[in-house]
Amino acid sequence: MRLVLVLGDQLSSGLSALLKADKAADVVVMAEVADEAAYVPHHPKKIAFTFAAMRKFAEKLRAEGWTVCYTKFDDPENTGSITGELIRRAAEHDAAGVVYTEPGEWRVIEALGDMPVKTHSLPDTRFIATHQDFDDWAEGRKQLRMEYFYRDMRRKTGLLMDGDKPEGGKWNYDHDNRKPAPDQVDFGGPMQFTPDEAVAEVLELVGDRFAENFGDLEPFWFATDTGQARQHLAHWLKGGLPKFGDFQDAMLNDNRFLYHAIIGLYINAGLLDPLEVCQKAEEAYRDGDAPLNAVEGFIRQIIGWREYVRGIYFREGPEYVTRNALGHDRKLPAVYWGAETKMNCMAKSVGQTKVEAYAHHIQRLMVTGNFALLAGIDPAQVHEWYLAVYADAYEWVEAPNVIGMSQFADDGIIASKPYISSGNYIHKMSDYCGSCAYRVQDKTGKDACPFNLLYWHFLDRHRNRFAGNPRMGNMYRVWDRMDEDRKATVLEEAADFLNRMEQGEPV
Ligand code: FAD
Ligand code: DLZ
Ligand code: SF4
C-alpha cells in the first residue's frame, strides 16, 4: 500500500494523486500542521477556511470509501510538518511510498523531494496548461505577454470560440470594460454561509491558536465545500457576472465586493474547477444572460492570467521570490498591518482586507501595491504580506502578481512597465478621495496626496532605468517640463513624507 497526500489546496475529487491511487489498498493522509499554518502569519479567516474545507473534504473521501488518516492541529502526536506526518504515517502503515500531486509552492516541492521515503509526484491536472505547454509557448519569445498565451488557451479549451475565430470577432473586449465607480451597485455581494458545527469547531480552534494574527476571524461566511461553492458561483453568475466587466476596476468606500466573483479562494483550494467555472460563464453568455465583454473579461482572468502567472512561477524557479530589480529596501510600514493612516484609499483597502481576507484586483494593484512600489518597500516584505493576508493566496499565484506585476521586482518579465499612478487614477476609479484627509488635486503642500508626491519621486529616482521605456516617455516629458523649483519642492516633500512614515508617524 501507498500513502496518498492531499494538501490543503488540493481538495478536488479529480486530483491526479487520488485518480492514480487504489481506494481499497491506499491510505489518504491529510494534516493540519504548524509549518503550513505559520510559514507566514496567515489571516485567521484563511486558516479557518483551509482547516474547515480540509475536514469536510476528508469526510467526503471517507463517505466515498477511502481510508483517511487525518491529523487535527491539536492532536498530541502531530509532528507539525507535512513531511513529519508522512514519515509518521508511513511507519504506522508500513507504506511502500507516498504518491502526491505536485504542490503549488517550491518550498513544499523541495521538502517532499527530500523525504527519506519513496515518493512519486504527479502533475497537477487541475490547470489547463501543463508546464510543458507553457515552456513551449515561452521558448524563443522576447516578451512573455499574457495576451498571446491567452489566445492559445482559448483555442485549447474552445471557450468563446466561433470555429477557429474568437466569438464576436475580437479576442479581448477590455475596451468596453473598466468604467469608473457606479453610483449604485445592484448586486448584493457574495453568498454568505452560516457556520455549521464543523466550521464552528474550527473557528474555536483558530480563535484560540491564532489570535495574534492580523485579521478578523468572525463573522466567517465562506463556503467550505464544493456544494456550497457551487451555490455561491450560481448566485454570482446571475447577479454579478453581467456587470463584472463594466466595473471591474472600480472601488467604493461602502462596497467591498462590487461585481467581483470572490471565487479565487474556492478555485485555488480545489473546491471549484476553473474550467467548469468558465464553462458556466460561457453558458450565461450563450443563454443571453450576460454580455460578451463581461464573460470574455472573466474567462480571460481565469484561463489567461491565472494560467499565465502559474507558468511564470514554475518557469522562473524558487529564486523568483527573492528578486528586487529596483533595489527597494524600505521596511513595510505599519499601515499595512492596520495602523492609523490619513490616506483613505489605504485605510479602506487594508481595512477590508483585515475584515474579509479579501480585496479586489485594483485595490491590490493600484492602491496597496502601487503605494509599496512608489514608496520603495522591500518586495520580499510586500510578497510576504500578500501571501499572509488574502484567503486566495498561495505562492504560485501570489508571487508573480506581487513580485512581477505589482512591484516590477522581476525586471519586467510580467509587466512591460511598472504599474504606478498618482492619485488621479484612484480618484477616477473610486470615491475614496472625497473623504480623504489629503487633497488629490494638490500636487505639493501639506495636504498634497502622497501618491502625487511619490509618483514623481519614483520616476526621478529610477530615471536611468525607465526614461528609455517607450511606454513611459510621456511621464518623463511632463516631469521634465515642470520648473526646477517645483520639482525640488515635490522631491523634498516626498522625501519628508517617507521619512515621517519610517519614523512611524501616522501619515
Ligand atoms: P475576480 O475579479 O472576480 O476574477 C475572477 C478570477 O480570475 C479570480 O478569482 C482569479 O482566479 C482569476 N484572476 C484574476 N486576475 C488574476 C491574476 N492577476 N492572477 C491570477 N488569477 C487571476 N490572485 C490569487 O488567486 N491569489 C493571490 O494571492 C493573488 N495575489 C495578488 C496580488 C496582487 C498584488 C495582485 C495585483 C493580484 C493578485 N491576485 C491574486 C489576482 C487577483 O487580484 C485575484 O485573483 C482576485 O482579486 C480575486 O478575487 P475574485 O475571486 O473576486 O476575482
Ligand atoms: C494555506 C494552508 C494552511 C494555512 N494550512 C495547511 C495545513 O495545515 N495543511 C495543509 O496540507 N495545507 C495547508 N495550507 C495549504 C498549503 O500551504 C499549500 O498546500 C502549500 O502552500 C502549497 O501550495
Ligand atoms: Fe488616496 Fe490620495 Fe485619494 Fe487620499 S487623496 S484617497 S491618499 S489617492
Side-chain angles (χ1 to χ4, degrees), residues 453 456-457 460 479 486-496:
L453 296 169
W456 296 121
H457 191 271
D460 186 69
W479 177 235
R486 191 164 170 80
K487 280 205 246 182
T489 308
V490 168
L491 295 180
E492 261 167 44
E493 290 185 5
D496 175 62

Side-chain angles (χ1 to χ4, degrees), residues 9 39 42-43 45-47 49-50 104 127 222 257 260-270 306 309 353 356-361 364 385-399 401-402:
D9 56 353
Y39 62 87
H42 299 287
H43 195 297
K45 273 198 167 80
K46 178 182 180 185
I47 302 177
F49 166 66
T50 309
F127 291 88
F222 291 152
F257 306 111
H260 288 275
I262 330 297
I263 212 174
L265 76 168
Y266 304 136
I267 303 182
N268 295 347
R306 184 171 184 272
V309 297
T353 298
E356 308 286 3
Y358 178 82
H360 73 65
H361 188 67
R364 298 186 203 194
W385 182 77
Y386 279 97
L387 191 54
V389 301
Y390 291 113
D392 54 30
Y394 301 92
E395 198 174 272
W396 65 267
V397 53
E398 173 276 336
N401 272 298
V402 173

Side-chain angles (χ1 to χ4, degrees), residues 217-232:
L217 177 60
E218 294 187 75
F220 183 92
W221 51 261
F222 291 152
T224 45
D225 59 42
T226 292
Q228 291 182 338
R230 283 189 175 142
Q231 284 179 46
H232 161 92

Side-chain angles (χ1 to χ4, degrees), residues 253 341-347 366-367 371 421-427 430-442 447-452:
N253 273 313
T341 173
K342 295 194 289 178
M343 296 178 279
N344 186 45
C345 53
M346 287 290 284
M366 299 312 291
V367 180
F371 184 79
S421 81
S422 67
N424 260 345
Y425 175 85
I426 296 171
H427 184 43
S430 77
D431 63 356
Y432 289 152
C433 301
S435 39
C436 184
Y438 293 109
R439 285 168 47 87
V440 71
Q441 301 84 345
D442 290 4
D447 294 332
C449 164
F451 285 80
N452 292 345

